Amino acid sequence: VLVPVFLACTDSIEKLSQPNIPNVQEGYDYAENDLQHLGMVKIRSTGYSVFLGTDDTLSTSRERPRMKVEFTYDYSISAHEVTHAEYAEVMGGAADEENRFLPIRNITYYDAILMANKKSMSEGYDTVYSYSQKNFNNIGNCINMADLVFHPDVEGYRLPSEAGWGVWGSLV
């Protein structure tokens, strides 16, 4: 299973005088470097909305209906996918040297959750996900978590929501 890992975090906003956000549309006033989280971009989304899905009858039922999502919070998101090196730094172990700066691959959704929790703890935040048990396959990937609960009001690292991912994707 391939999971493109981006991490998100809620925190306070500070503006850089000379933004250095890779690939963000020039002049966009709602994204800036996050001064508290290296490598992350602050998205000032409070009061804005994004449309998800479609009303196109030719689309699958999973893509319907079109809905408007309104943001009541700002968030930060990784400026790029988590690399092999970044994943190894947080999770321990050696990075794949040949692919060290490429996005991590061959991890599961649950592996990404474990990374988000571990990064939160390493920086003194609470964990955003809780569970009672985790199960691994024979190659070391987490393949299931019993009683998995997402705590959206906890300040810490998490996987971005579809809406948050959509806003970031529209900027780059």
Side-chain angles (χ1 to χ4, degrees):
V1 176
L2 299 178
V3 178
V5 179
F6 279 81
L7 296 178
C9 186
T10 55
D11 213 275
S12 62
I13 300 171
E14 294 186 35
K15 181 83 170 167
L16 286 177
S17 58
Q18 294 293 322
N20 187 26
I21 304 165
N23 301 322
V24 172
Q25 296 173 7
E26 191 169 327
Y28 182 73
D29 201 22
Y30 306 105
E32 60 207 14
N33 285 314
D34 185 327
L35 299 178
Q36 295 180 346
H37 304 100
L38 184 64
M40 298 190 82
V41 176
K42 173 64 77 177
I43 307 295
R44 293 189 292 158
S45 55
T46 300
Y48 291 91
S49 60
V50 63
F51 285 94
L52 301 176
T54 181
D55 287 328
D56 184 347
T57 57
L58 298 176
S59 298
T60 66
S61 60
R62 288 178 39 137
E63 297 172 303
R64 291 181 273 142
R66 183 174 190 225
M67 60 188 146
K68 183 178 183 179
V69 178
E70 295 184 8
F71 285 91
T72 58
Y73 58 90
D74 296 333
Y75 64 96
S76 291
I77 191 165
S78 300
H80 57 80
E81 292 105 335
V82 172
T83 66
H84 283 262
E86 291 166 333
Y87 188 83
E89 182 181 330
V90 172
M91 299 304 288
D96 175 355
E97 285 304 316
E98 186 176 321
N99 296 310
R100 137 175 226 88
F101 299 111
L102 294 177
I104 188 70
R105 61 190 196 313
N106 298 326
I107 66 169
T108 67
Y109 169 75
Y110 301 107
D111 292 329
I113 285 173
L114 291 173
M115 182 196 179
N117 274 354
K118 194 163 184 180
K119 186 160 178 71
S120 291
M121 290 185 295
S122 74
E123 294 187 18
Y125 293 106
D126 289 331
T127 56
V128 174
Y129 303 94
S130 63
Y131 51 89
S132 61
Q133 180 182 349
K134 53 190 176 185
N135 299 309
F136 294 86
N137 63 15
N138 60 352
I139 60 171
N141 292 106
C142 187
I143 56 172
N144 189 30
M145 292 179 164
D147 305 314
L148 176 62
V149 177
F150 168 60
H151 304 281
D153 295 334
V154 171
E155 186 172 317
Y157 290 92
R158 63 175 175 81
L159 302 179
S161 67
E162 183 178 359
W165 174 245
V167 169
W168 175 236
S170 71
L171 299 178
V172 294

